[in-house]
Amino acid sequence: MLIHKALMDVNESPVYLLLNPAINLSQKDLPVTIYESELHVIDGSPQLIFVRSNYTIETVEAERISVDHVAHLKPSDGGSAATQLAAHLTGIHSAIKMLNSRVRVIHQYLVAMQKGETPVDNSLLRQVSSLVRRLPAMESQKFQDDFLMEYNDTLLMTYLAMFTNCSSTMNELVEKINASYERPAARRGGRGAFM
């Protein structure tokens, strides 16, 4: 509660998220409980208490696909899933850099054409015009807001996907440790376990 009160200086209504690390294969919901703080009068004095809150998870198809993809990445050739994800993101970064350089070349060519340094090519101008008409107006505030929202959602989904992958790896590690502790304990007649 002290940490929660300290966070209230930054955010006026933070939530308390409780993650249950126990594995229950029959459970279909996330092992997460969310609590909100409410002010109640107890014995004549106001006190903050945690009250369980219901939640629903809403996603779009692209988010489900990306989380599922990262969660099911399997290491190949000794590389980890994080290494594969880093290689994939590096490939996307390279593609964006290539696109940027090509757009820059087209821009320089159009500027040279406008200055009269190169001859006017109407066929090329029609193609560039057609391409530009397909793009949304990117200078509007709505575009900036939508872009930032989509960007933040993508970062959040990447974080959640990596968290899911890390949890899966941690679960496999705990299972291996439990299996190694159970063997010697079975020989002694007892039972030992980790976590």
Side-chain angles (χ1 to χ4, degrees), residues 130-162:
S130 172
L131 181 65
V132 169
R133 276 185 297 219
R134 292 183 201 167
L135 298 175
M138 295 183 192
E139 295 299 321
S140 68
Q141 184 61 38
K142 180 178 178 355
F143 174 80
Q144 292 295 328
D145 293 343
D146 290 346
F147 174 77
L148 288 175
M149 183 181 297
E150 198 69 33
Y151 180 72
N152 288 336
D153 288 349
T154 303
L155 289 177
L156 179 63
M157 292 314 309
T158 302
Y159 174 72
L160 288 175
M162 291 303 296

Side-chain angles (χ1 to χ4, degrees), residues 2 8 12 86 118 129 167 175 181 184:
L2 293 175
M8 290 179 75
E12 64 186 43
T118 58
S129 176
S167 296
E175 286 176 4
Y181 275 113

Side-chain angles (χ1 to χ4, degrees), residues 46-175:
Q47 294 181 2
L48 277 178
I49 62 168
F50 287 119
V51 178
R52 187 175 181 161
S53 178
N54 294 327
Y55 66 92
T56 58
I57 298 175
E58 296 180 11
T59 61
V60 294
E61 187 67 22
E63 293 169 339
R64 287 190 294 270
I65 290 170
S66 64
V67 169
D68 189 50
H69 176 71
V70 172
H72 290 97
L73 281 177
K74 295 292 180 194
S76 62
D77 301 332
S80 68
T83 305
Q84 290 178 353
L85 180 63
H88 175 69
L89 293 176
T90 302
I92 290 174
H93 182 261
S94 298
I96 291 171
K97 281 176 52 177
M98 179 68 74
L99 177 64
N100 187 29
S101 69
R102 290 180 180 178
V103 168
R104 197 173 288 142
V105 166
I106 291 173
H107 179 259
Q108 290 171 350
Y109 184 78
L110 291 174
V111 168
M113 195 183 299
Q114 187 179 26
K115 291 181 180 178
E117 297 171 1
T118 58
V120 175
D121 184 355
N122 288 325
S123 173
L124 178 68
L125 289 175
R126 279 191 294 276
Q127 290 177 8
V128 170
S129 176
S130 172
L131 181 65
V132 169
R133 276 185 297 219
R134 292 183 201 167
L135 298 175
M138 295 183 192
E139 295 299 321
S140 68
Q141 184 61 38
K142 180 178 178 355
F143 174 80
Q144 292 295 328
D145 293 343
D146 290 346
F147 174 77
L148 288 175
M149 183 181 297
E150 198 69 33
Y151 180 72
N152 288 336
D153 288 349
T154 303
L155 289 177
L156 179 63
M157 292 314 309
T158 302
Y159 174 72
L160 288 175
M162 291 303 296
F163 182 72
T164 302
N165 195 18
C166 181
S167 296
S168 175
T169 304
M170 182 64 81
N171 184 35
E172 291 173 10
L173 177 65
V174 168
E175 286 176 4

Side-chain angles (χ1 to χ4, degrees), residues 19-32:
L19 176 65
N20 182 6
I23 298 167
N24 184 358
L25 299 177
S26 63
Q27 183 180 4
K28 298 292 182 193
D29 295 331
L30 288 175
V32 172

